[in-house]
Every structure is written in structure tokens, then in C-alpha cells.
Amino acid sequence: MLEPVSQPECGLVAEVVSCDVFAGRSRKEIEELEVYAGNRRRKLGDFFSVSGSAADSPEETRIVIAGSVERTKWIGRGMSAGEIVVEGSTGMYTGAWMKGGRIVVKGSVDSFAGMMMDGGELVVQGDAGDYLGCAYRGEWRGMRGGSIVVHGNAGSEAGHCLSGGRVTVKGRAESFAGVRMHSGLLVLGSAERRVGAQMTGGSIVVLAETELLPSFELIERVTSPEIEGVRFEGVFEVYAGDLAERNAKGRVYVKVE
Amino acid sequence: MKLVLKNGYVFDPINGIDGEKMDIFIEDGRIVEEVKGEAEVIDCSGMVVMPGGVEIHSHIAGGKVNTARLMRPEDHLRNVSPRTAITRSVCGYSTPSTFLTGYAYSKLGYTTAFTAALPPLMARHTHEELHDIPMLDKGALTVMGNNWLVMRYLSEGRIEHACAYVAWLLRATKGYAIKAVNPGGSEAWGWGRDVRSLSDRVPHFDITPREIISGLMEINERLSLPHSLHLHPNNLGRVGNVSTTLETLELTREVKPSRERQVLQLTHAQFHSYGGDSWRNFSSAAESIAEAVNSSDRLVLDMGQVVFGDTTTMTADGPMEYYLSSLTGLKWANKDIELETAPGVTPFVYSEKSPVSGVQWAIGLELALLVREPMKVMLTTDHPNGAPFFTYPKIIGWLMSARSRERVLNSLHPQAQRNTVLGSLDREYTFQEICWVTRAAQAKSLGLENKGHLGAGADADVAVYPVNPEETDPSREYEKVERAFSATAYTVKAGEVVVRNGEVVRVVSGRTLYVDARVDGELEREVLADVDYYFKRFYSVNLANYPVQEVYLTSPQAVKVDAGVR
Ligand SMILES: [Zn+2]
């Protein structure tokens, strides 16, 4: 259990908050873990009061952050197993490069949550910032596996360069969701304009009417389709695109009834 | 400062020393016959001692290198390491930072590196970057194959004026040699076009690529420059480009060398040795290129080897980069260097599964194995175009072991096995031949009299590799050889130990070499009047802001040439 006692004025780089790192470490060792507040090297114990004990393996390790840590970044970076539960909200890059295990954030996550994810599960009960489940800056090969579920809304460019796995936003996603997506499944409760811009593959499901780019072509109307292994109830218009891209094989399903 | 490298197996092909156990003596930054009195002694028993590596063609500094860095933040995630007491924090793989470039070359035993393309207008920037590359002596090849004044003088048959302009341009850019990239093609790209044969006309210039190439070779020999023309021919990377390349090599028959060296370096030859007439029957044409080099004393080549993986391509060949990005669909950048050239940048992934990448991989090695004399071959990857220079140890392993090549070849697409001859080549390089292709041949080609060898008077640049040539069979133990060549036991730069056991232990700045060629004063005044007009009429900068002063160079070292051109 990590209880936040203070947060630095600038961001706290805390990629050590991961079941892989905590496993097999004593409370004292966990307090000594290195974090960066801006460019200053500090200890995890300077910002969190640590209690409880870690298990021997990451699989059996469960980390609870008892509060909001909006300035703490990189929680669960590259984590391969175990569970992190955050009682409040987190900063940027939550669950980036995650390979396995589960992160549950009861509040909201800042931008770049689930960036380059390869496996595991990220559940956000509040909202997500921009670039949910995105590729790293400049990278064209994005998230490859695992699942992200956001119960609230998401910012711009959710599922940017998505190359596998599944991203679900139950609320509304801002512009450019699924931009440059290559494969995988992106499910949106509703979406602002320009869904799937430059997509070359994969499927986007929008559960409400939305305005698509002119480079998407209506190809059929289907009822209760199965998409990437998931069944969706209702009537959907199926669009192919983004036809502005070469050999584009993407599909956008828009729920109409 | 005196140093003795004791009891190593010394490879120094220029001086005919092939793995003899001997001592190397160093004093005041030079190799000497012997040292008297107190000296630091380093025990090199059981290790290979070679002159410091000389890199002849690597894109390590300049406008497009920096554009590539900006374009590929994802590449900076690789090789991240924090600063130490003496080294800076670094990152990057295909677009490494300047500091990493210096440290990493030094760990590989390299002590000198030439950046492959310096567009004159980017000269100041390029030298600022070279200034930030530690550990190495440096030089730059000045790009001239699409230069308006060069093309104008040549098309008007004013060869003396062309010579005087080139001499001035080398001095103004603090460049070391004449480089030409897709002659005429990058200029045509300004009009959305390219040239596809030696006989195409360059738009708005009454000249063909053939005339530019022959003209630049003639200028080079009239000026008697230390290096030959350094040529990236037309049609790089195009299926069936071997015919263009062979036709280009033919042009050297008409050129008399002014020094004891080639008249043309065919650079990144792999990219110019393609047979077939579509990507479906894409094949190696390495045999005919190697034959052309074997039967001529006027040609050398560097490999431009491909290694599988993710890299960034960058050349002063804008149309080629556009073509490549249209094949891959990946991001692309283009630069317009006004009256001089038009470089482009795009990422590329060479995949073992791709038949084309497989053939490309084989061609580089075929060239190195089919050219008989190792002094005509230089190991390059055209960093980072074929692969980043970090892959050199792997390539050394392939050159020294047919078995290690076979292992890769067997894992490739059947077309890569069918359309190449690599599988039938059993030649394996010796340590002496590796020494040729990584330093000695480069020094000869560049006309660097004090580099690439360990004779008295040479620069005290030495690499000591932790491998015993008498107890190692590279053919079988290629992994051991690769490990040894990936981190020196010692790198000595200008007489100081700068790397020990693969770690940088001392940071030095190195010198910058450039050519100072002089021609008749009256001739130069006439040319400068034309230059002045071009600047007033076309350039976006003032002539006064164009030439690079020596103050921009780290320890400038001019190679003076009295060209005697009147
Ligand atoms: Zn090059």
C-alpha cells in the first residue's frame, strides 16, 4: 500500500511503481526506490508512506495507491504481471509498455495512458487524457496487445497507430480517434469528427452517429455483427477506409439503430 | 607522453606486416621506431593490434542527419545511457547523437571518420555538428554533383573555371573531397523529375549526368586532390540499375590519375548492383560490378552493406527517398538546398522475410568476396542507410566465416537464395584482409599518408582487439570474433588511451581535415565574380556568410594542394 504524502511541483517519474519491481522487496527497500522529481533524484519514500509487504513474485503482488497522484508519471511502466489499484487519479503514461497484469484507476488518467501496450489490462473508471493507447512519439507501430477500458471520456487521438489489442471508450472520444490505426479493435461510445483518419486496417466501432471523413465509403449495413471476436447488438453501417491511404483495409462500424 | 603497446599480433598491411608479434612505440602522438626512457607499457599479448579504423562514408553530421533526428524521436529510445563523470548522456541507434557517434566509433576501434555528404550551404551547420563529435579525426565530402556553377562551367566547356570554383568551394566549406550524388537527378527533382540514364538532360542546364561525372573526375585530377571523385551514381536502389552503374564505371577509362590512387570511388556499391527488371525477379548483379573493379586499376568501392533491422535512410538524392517512402508508406522529409542539392530522409525496415532485403544483404557481401584485392574494398553500411555502424562487428563475422553467412542465408526467402551467388562463395577474410577493408584501404583511397598504418611517422591511432589470432578459428568461432571487434581492449587516439575494455576512459576532440587547393589568382577572381552574381541573384544568404572559417573546426588541419591550374 502506498499512501501519497506529498506530490512535487513538477512531475514525479515513478516507473518503479510496478509489481515487477516491488516483488521480493522489503518495505524499506521499496521506500528507497529511486524516483525523479524534475531532474532531482529522490526516494519513493519521500512522496509515499509505504505499508504492507510485497509478495515474492510479481504475479502475487498487489499495489494499492490510496489516493490521487495526478503528477506521478509512468505508474506500471512495462509491468508484466500483478495488480495495481489506484484509489484516485494518475499522471501521464500510466501503464505504458505494459505486458501483462492489471491496472485499475478509480479516478482518471492523464495523457498517453497505455502507450505502446503489449498485453495486460488497463481499466480507468473516470476519463482519459489525449493519446490513450497510442504509439510513442514518431513511432508508427503502436499498441500491439492487451486491453484498455475507459468508463468515461477520452481526449484526442485515442488508439493512435493502434496495431493490435483492444481499446474501449464507453463515453465520448474527441477528434482523430484511431488515427493511423493498422489493426486491432477500437470501440467508442460516441466520437467527435475524423474517426479513423489515415487508418490502414483494424476495426473501429462507434455506438452513436458520427461524422466520417469523405475518404470513407459506405459498403454495407449489418445487424448484430461479430467484430474482431466481439458481438455488437444493433444495426450498423459499415464504412471502408481510409481510402486516402494505399491498400487501406480499415472498417468503421457506425451504429444507426 | 610515451607509450609502448607490447607483444601484440600486429596487422599493418600497408607496411607488409601480417600478424607478427611485435611492439608498437608511440611518442608525442606519433608512431616511432622506438622510445627511450620512461614510457607507459600496455601488455597486448594474445591480442590483435591494428591501426585505428578509418570510416570513409558515414552520415554522421549535417542537415539531413539532424532532420532525421527530429523525424525519429522513437529512435532515441534506443541506446539510452546516462552521463558519466567524463561522457555525456546519449541516445539513438540509426540517428545517434553526436556524442554517441564519437564514443561508439571509438569503442569499435575507429579513430577517423568522414561524413558522407556536406551540402555547401549546410557547411557551417555540419562543422558545428562535427565539432560536437568527440574521439575522432573528422572530414567531410562536399556535395557538388548538382551544383549550378559546376554544371554551368562544365556545360560551357570552361574546365579551368570549374576547377577554380571547386577549389574555392572545398576551401569555403572546409571539405576534404568532391562528392557527387545522383548527378543531375537531385536538380531535376526541383522540377518534380529525376534522371534515369547517363544521357538524360538536366532541366534548364545543357548537360547530362555523363558529362557531370566525367567533368568532376577531370576536375579532381587537374586539381590533384588527395581523394578521387566519390560517387553515388544515378538510379540508386532501382531494379536493374547495374547497367547504369557499369556505364558509369566505363567513364573512368578516359581519366588519368594524378596520384597513386583510383580515379573513382563507387560508394555504397550494394545499392548500385541490382539486376532483374521488376521487384519480382530482383537479383544480384554483384558479379559484373566486381568484375569491372577487378579488371581496372582506377576503381575502388565501399560495400554499403545491409543488415536486417529498423534504420533511417538519408541521402542527397531527394527523388530516391521520395520513391522509397512511396513504396513503404512511411514518413518522409525533403530538404531543398537551393542551388546545390535536394536531400531526403525516410525510415526503412530491412526484413529477413522480404526477398528484396535478402538479396540486398547478399549483394554487399558478394561484392566484398568477389573483388579480389582487399585494398579495393571498404567496409561500410552507408550508415545509417544499409544499417547503423553499430553492426560492423557482425559484418566482420560474415566476411570471416562462410558458416555464419550460410546460417543467415538459410533463413532467408527462397528468392534471396536463388537470385544471389553468395551461397557458392567459400572465401573467408583473414585478419589482414579485415585490416584492409576497415582502415588501410580507406586511408589509401583518401590519400591519408599518416593513417591506416603503423609505420614510423604515422598518427598514433591504434586499436587493440581482445582476440588471439593464433588460437581462434574465425570460420567456426565467428561469434567470438564479433565480440572482440565490438569493443576494443584499448583504443589509442593521438597517443592517448581513450577506450579501455570497451569503456571510454578519456574524451578527446580530434582534428578536422580539409583540403586547401590553390589555383591561379586571376582565374579565381573571375570565378568569384560569377559566385558573387549567383549569390546576389539566387541564394537566400549573403556570400559573406557562406564560407566557413577555421574557427568552426576542432583543431583544423589543412591538406595543402598546389593545383597549378591556370
Ligand atoms: Zn551515403
Side-chain angles (χ1 to χ4, degrees), chain B residues 543-562:
Chain B
L543 176 55
N545 295 326
Y546 186 76
V548 179
Q549 296 80 9
E550 277 207 337
V551 66
Y552 275 82
L553 279 54
T554 49
S555 317
Q557 193 184 348
V559 178
K560 291 203 190 302
V561 181
D562 182 9

Short mmCIF file of all heavy atoms in Angstrom, two decimals, chain B residues 543-562:
data_model
loop_
_atom_site.label_atom_id
_atom_site.label_comp_id
_atom_site.label_asym_id
_atom_site.label_seq_id
_atom_site.Cartn_x
_atom_site.Cartn_y
_atom_site.Cartn_z
N LEU B 543 26.84 36.15 -49.60
CA LEU B 543 28.11 35.44 -49.83
C LEU B 543 29.04 35.52 -48.62
O LEU B 543 29.71 34.55 -48.27
CB LEU B 543 28.81 36.02 -51.07
CG LEU B 543 30.19 35.46 -51.41
CD1 LEU B 543 30.17 33.95 -51.55
CD2 LEU B 543 30.73 36.10 -52.69
N ALA B 544 29.04 36.67 -47.94
CA ALA B 544 29.95 36.85 -46.80
C ALA B 544 29.63 35.85 -45.68
O ALA B 544 30.50 35.53 -44.88
CB ALA B 544 29.86 38.28 -46.28
N ASN B 545 28.38 35.38 -45.63
CA ASN B 545 28.01 34.45 -44.55
C ASN B 545 28.18 32.99 -44.95
O ASN B 545 27.78 32.09 -44.21
CB ASN B 545 26.54 34.67 -44.16
CG ASN B 545 26.33 36.03 -43.57
OD1 ASN B 545 27.21 36.55 -42.89
ND2 ASN B 545 25.19 36.64 -43.85
N TYR B 546 28.73 32.77 -46.12
CA TYR B 546 28.76 31.42 -46.68
C TYR B 546 30.02 30.64 -46.31
O TYR B 546 29.91 29.53 -45.78
CB TYR B 546 28.57 31.56 -48.18
CG TYR B 546 28.41 30.30 -48.99
CD1 TYR B 546 27.23 29.58 -49.00
CD2 TYR B 546 29.46 29.86 -49.81
CE1 TYR B 546 27.08 28.45 -49.81
CE2 TYR B 546 29.32 28.74 -50.62
CZ TYR B 546 28.13 28.04 -50.61
OH TYR B 546 27.99 26.93 -51.41
N PRO B 547 31.20 31.18 -46.57
CA PRO B 547 32.40 30.37 -46.26
C PRO B 547 32.54 30.11 -44.76
O PRO B 547 32.21 30.96 -43.94
CB PRO B 547 33.55 31.25 -46.75
CG PRO B 547 32.94 32.23 -47.68
CD PRO B 547 31.56 32.47 -47.16
N VAL B 548 33.00 28.92 -44.44
CA VAL B 548 33.20 28.52 -43.05
C VAL B 548 34.62 28.89 -42.64
O VAL B 548 35.58 28.49 -43.30
CB VAL B 548 33.01 27.00 -42.90
CG1 VAL B 548 33.24 26.57 -41.47
CG2 VAL B 548 31.63 26.59 -43.38
N GLN B 549 34.72 29.63 -41.55
CA GLN B 549 36.05 29.99 -41.06
C GLN B 549 36.64 28.83 -40.26
O GLN B 549 35.90 28.01 -39.73
CB GLN B 549 35.97 31.24 -40.17
CG GLN B 549 35.52 32.50 -40.88
CD GLN B 549 34.00 32.56 -41.05
OE1 GLN B 549 33.27 31.76 -40.50
NE2 GLN B 549 33.54 33.52 -41.85
N GLU B 550 37.97 28.85 -40.14
CA GLU B 550 38.64 27.78 -39.39
C GLU B 550 38.15 27.68 -37.95
O GLU B 550 38.20 26.61 -37.36
CB GLU B 550 40.15 27.99 -39.42
CG GLU B 550 40.81 27.46 -40.68
CD GLU B 550 42.26 27.07 -40.44
OE1 GLU B 550 42.86 27.59 -39.48
OE2 GLU B 550 42.79 26.25 -41.22
N VAL B 551 37.66 28.79 -37.41
CA VAL B 551 37.26 28.79 -36.01
C VAL B 551 36.12 27.80 -35.75
O VAL B 551 35.91 27.34 -34.63
CB VAL B 551 36.89 30.22 -35.56
CG1 VAL B 551 35.64 30.72 -36.28
CG2 VAL B 551 36.71 30.31 -34.07
N TYR B 552 35.40 27.44 -36.81
CA TYR B 552 34.32 26.47 -36.66
C TYR B 552 34.81 25.03 -36.54
O TYR B 552 34.05 24.12 -36.28
CB TYR B 552 33.36 26.55 -37.86
CG TYR B 552 32.32 27.60 -37.66
CD1 TYR B 552 32.60 28.93 -37.94
CD2 TYR B 552 31.07 27.28 -37.13
CE1 TYR B 552 31.65 29.91 -37.72
CE2 TYR B 552 30.12 28.25 -36.91
CZ TYR B 552 30.41 29.57 -37.21
OH TYR B 552 29.48 30.52 -36.98
N LEU B 553 36.08 24.79 -36.80
CA LEU B 553 36.61 23.44 -36.84
C LEU B 553 37.36 23.12 -35.55
O LEU B 553 37.98 24.01 -34.98
CB LEU B 553 37.56 23.28 -38.02
CG LEU B 553 36.96 23.04 -39.42
CD1 LEU B 553 35.96 24.09 -39.80
CD2 LEU B 553 38.08 22.97 -40.46
N THR B 554 37.30 21.87 -35.11
CA THR B 554 38.14 21.49 -33.99
C THR B 554 39.53 21.19 -34.56
O THR B 554 39.66 20.38 -35.45
CB THR B 554 37.62 20.23 -33.28
OG1 THR B 554 37.36 19.24 -34.26
CG2 THR B 554 36.38 20.50 -32.49
N SER B 555 40.52 21.84 -34.03
CA SER B 555 41.91 21.66 -34.48
C SER B 555 41.99 21.45 -35.99
O SER B 555 42.27 20.35 -36.45
CB SER B 555 42.56 20.46 -33.80
OG SER B 555 42.24 20.44 -32.44
N PRO B 556 41.73 22.50 -36.76
CA PRO B 556 41.74 22.33 -38.22
C PRO B 556 43.11 21.92 -38.74
O PRO B 556 44.13 22.36 -38.22
CB PRO B 556 41.37 23.73 -38.73
CG PRO B 556 41.67 24.65 -37.61
CD PRO B 556 41.47 23.88 -36.34
N GLN B 557 43.09 21.04 -39.71
CA GLN B 557 44.34 20.64 -40.33
C GLN B 557 44.15 20.68 -41.84
O GLN B 557 43.44 19.86 -42.41
CB GLN B 557 44.75 19.24 -39.88
CG GLN B 557 46.17 18.95 -40.26
CD GLN B 557 46.58 17.52 -39.92
OE1 GLN B 557 45.88 16.80 -39.23
NE2 GLN B 557 47.71 17.12 -40.46
N ALA B 558 44.76 21.68 -42.48
CA ALA B 558 44.61 21.83 -43.93
C ALA B 558 45.58 20.91 -44.64
O ALA B 558 46.74 20.81 -44.28
CB ALA B 558 44.86 23.27 -44.31
N VAL B 559 45.08 20.22 -45.65
CA VAL B 559 45.96 19.46 -46.54
C VAL B 559 46.16 20.37 -47.75
O VAL B 559 45.23 20.60 -48.52
CB VAL B 559 45.30 18.13 -46.95
CG1 VAL B 559 46.20 17.38 -47.92
CG2 VAL B 559 44.99 17.30 -45.73
N LYS B 560 47.35 20.91 -47.88
CA LYS B 560 47.58 21.90 -48.94
C LYS B 560 47.89 21.22 -50.27
O LYS B 560 48.67 20.29 -50.33
CB LYS B 560 48.72 22.84 -48.54
CG LYS B 560 48.35 23.75 -47.39
CD LYS B 560 49.21 25.00 -47.39
CE LYS B 560 49.04 25.82 -46.12
NZ LYS B 560 47.69 26.28 -45.84
N VAL B 561 47.22 21.70 -51.30
CA VAL B 561 47.47 21.19 -52.64
C VAL B 561 47.71 22.39 -53.53
O VAL B 561 46.87 23.28 -53.61
CB VAL B 561 46.24 20.41 -53.17
CG1 VAL B 561 46.53 19.87 -54.56
CG2 VAL B 561 45.84 19.29 -52.22
N ASP B 562 48.86 22.42 -54.19
CA ASP B 562 49.04 23.47 -55.18
C ASP B 562 48.66 22.86 -56.52
O ASP B 562 49.39 22.08 -57.11
CB ASP B 562 50.47 23.99 -55.23
CG ASP B 562 50.60 25.12 -56.26
OD1 ASP B 562 49.55 25.57 -56.77
OD2 ASP B 562 51.74 25.52 -56.54
#
